[in-house]
Amino acid sequence: MITIMKKIMMMALMAAAATTAFAQDALVKQAKKLVAGGQFDEAIETLKPALTSSQTLDKAAAWNEMVQAQYGKYNAIQTAEMENKVKKLEVPYDTVGMNHAAVEALKAAMKCDEFDRQPNEKGKVKINFRQANQQKMQNVRLAMINAGLYEYNHKNLDGALDCWKLYLDSPEDEFWTGVPDVADVTKDQYRSEIAYYAGLVAYQKKDYVQAVKYATLASQDPNKAADANEIMLFSKKETLKSKADSLEYLGMLKDLRKQNPDEDRYFNLLMDYYTRANDQAALKAWAEEEIAIDPQNKMAWALKGEVQMNDRQWDAAVESYKKAAEIDPEFVQVIFNAGVCLNSKAIDLKDELADKNTGGLTKANADKVKAILADAQVYLEKSKELDPFREKVNWAYPLYQIYYSLGDEAKANEMEKLVNSK
């Protein structure tokens, strides 16, 4: 009795499965009729259960019908768009719907091909839908460019990136086998341009992995390399979490600096990196590397002088600042810093030579200090001449110190007024 019941239950399950499979395939047939009648949205909704159901016997056919439904919708709206342009009409049409249908048609075509190239129960592969779908999808893929631009201009970054990613990534799919104009990306005249914009949008979305991916692709084009490299660098910079990340970013930046010695942006990014790292030894070593590459790099000399100044190496710092000022005689910051270094050197020397009991100086020692102060005065007065309104450097207080120390009471009073006024 139990055995008979099991057989009955199995038969019932098999019948139910067959009924379900029949129902799913019936949906595909129904969708086909809807497509033929131009009822594309109804066809799309009808097909959805068949695409995901394990009971659908022919998934390739189901996905192929989705291709026809989405492509039919896209083509119908595109035709309306063209009629508007040709006939100079203003009949409303659904641009967003057209773009979405194009995206979904191309995705469906690749999904259809995925099932279509699977071996049958005899282990044989017979591809039925590829060729016809390839013919339709070549134009659809190109439509991804303008679709992405439309979405971008309407502030839909997700939609723009979806379109451009599909344009850039789809040639890798087996679906395009036998279509060299698509599969061979070296023939694609738009690829680097679209890759750049995809990288830019991904960066704006803070999707830094995708930003690096597409910017790297764009950087292979010499005309796009500089802008694409900037996206790559800023994306890497945003994701620095470990020492390894920092070293990778630094290595990339240094490579780009070597490859593009005339691009100031890479020098500036390196300068930002080293100054933020607050590693004086590393900053000095890098500055010396840059000086070795280009002895006329005024900023490298300035940075070297800054490190030496922070280390109280007054003479060395002044020499570095003088080099920078020789390259750019109006580089007021380094001229000012040279004066400050000499003033600090004079103060240190005064402390060193002062009598331990009285704190006073012999005339000979006082003259040594005054000679250094006189040199400092030259640099600081030059700073005053170049920047009279103290917009870049505040020369008033160190000049006050020097005038006071040298006994120039009138000028000291003049500087004291400036110091107190600001």
Side-chain angles (χ1 to χ4, degrees), residues 9-263:
M9 289 175 66
M10 285 297 294
M11 289 173 65
L13 287 170
M14 289 173 66
T19 302
T20 305
F22 176 79
Q24 298 301 332
D25 289 336
L27 292 178
V28 178
K29 292 179 181 179
Q30 183 183 349
K32 192 168 188 176
K33 291 179 181 179
L34 290 168
V35 170
Q39 297 174 276
F40 304 116
D41 286 331
E42 292 86 344
I44 290 165
E45 291 303 313
T46 300
L47 277 167
K48 286 180 179 178
L51 299 178
T52 56
S53 173
S54 60
Q55 301 300 323
T56 303
L57 297 177
D58 192 343
K59 279 284 181 66
W63 277 104
N64 181 63
E65 207 53 52
M66 179 59 82
V67 175
Q68 310 317 312
Q70 296 285 8
Y71 178 76
K73 179 178 179 179
Y74 160 75
N75 193 50
I77 301 172
Q78 186 191 46
T79 300
E81 179 188 40
M82 292 302 295
E83 285 182 358
N84 269 5
K85 291 178 179 178
V86 172
K87 298 179 181 179
K88 297 181 180 180
L89 303 174
E90 294 185 4
V91 179
Y93 58 89
D94 185 4
T95 304
V96 174
M98 179 177 69
N99 293 342
H100 181 74
V103 168
E104 294 305 316
L106 183 49
K107 288 181 179 179
M110 291 188 292
K111 196 69 177 176
C112 169
D113 197 71
E114 178 186 328
F115 286 105
D116 206 16
R117 61 179 181 260
Q118 290 180 4
N120 59 23
E121 64 277 1
K122 295 181 179 179
K124 293 183 179 181
V125 174
K126 184 180 179 182
I127 297 176
N128 297 303
F129 306 110
R130 177 181 289 176
Q131 188 172 0
N133 285 339
Q134 283 176 341
Q135 292 175 356
K136 292 186 176 79
M137 290 306 111
Q138 287 188 65
N139 287 334
V140 169
R141 178 176 169 270
L142 286 172
M144 294 297 102
I145 297 175
N146 286 333
L149 185 60
Y150 176 90
E151 301 300 339
Y152 183 75
N153 288 337
H154 287 77
K155 314 300 182 186
N156 181 10
L157 296 185
D158 290 336
L161 188 57
D162 197 19
C163 292
W164 288 334
K165 281 173 61 178
L166 198 54
Y167 177 84
L168 294 165
D169 295 345
S170 59
E172 300 174 6
D173 197 277
E174 282 187 52
F175 168 67
W176 291 111
T177 301
V179 186
D181 287 346
V182 176
D184 184 357
V185 295
T186 62
K187 296 180 179 181
D188 189 342
Q189 61 181 313
Y190 307 113
R191 187 168 176 80
S192 60
E193 185 83 13
I194 302 307
Y196 167 73
Y197 282 109
L200 179 63
V201 169
Y203 180 79
Q204 291 172 338
K205 284 169 46 62
K206 299 185 179 182
D207 185 348
Y208 301 118
V209 173
Q210 294 291 324
V212 169
K213 174 183 174 181
Y214 293 113
T216 301
L217 195 160
S219 69
Q220 295 168 13
D221 180 348
N223 296 321
K224 284 290 171 188
D227 292 332
N229 287 336
E230 195 162 284
I231 293 174
M232 290 163 56
L233 286 170
F234 282 112
S235 295
K236 286 284 185 184
K237 190 176 180 181
E238 292 290 344
T239 56
L240 299 182
K241 295 180 180 178
S242 65
K243 186 176 181 180
D245 292 335
S246 296
L247 291 175
E248 183 183 357
Y249 168 73
L250 181 60
M252 180 188 295
L253 197 47
K254 283 192 170 185
D255 286 344
L256 289 169
R257 172 69 176 150
K258 288 177 183 176
Q259 294 164 19
N260 306 275
D262 297 329
E263 283 284 354

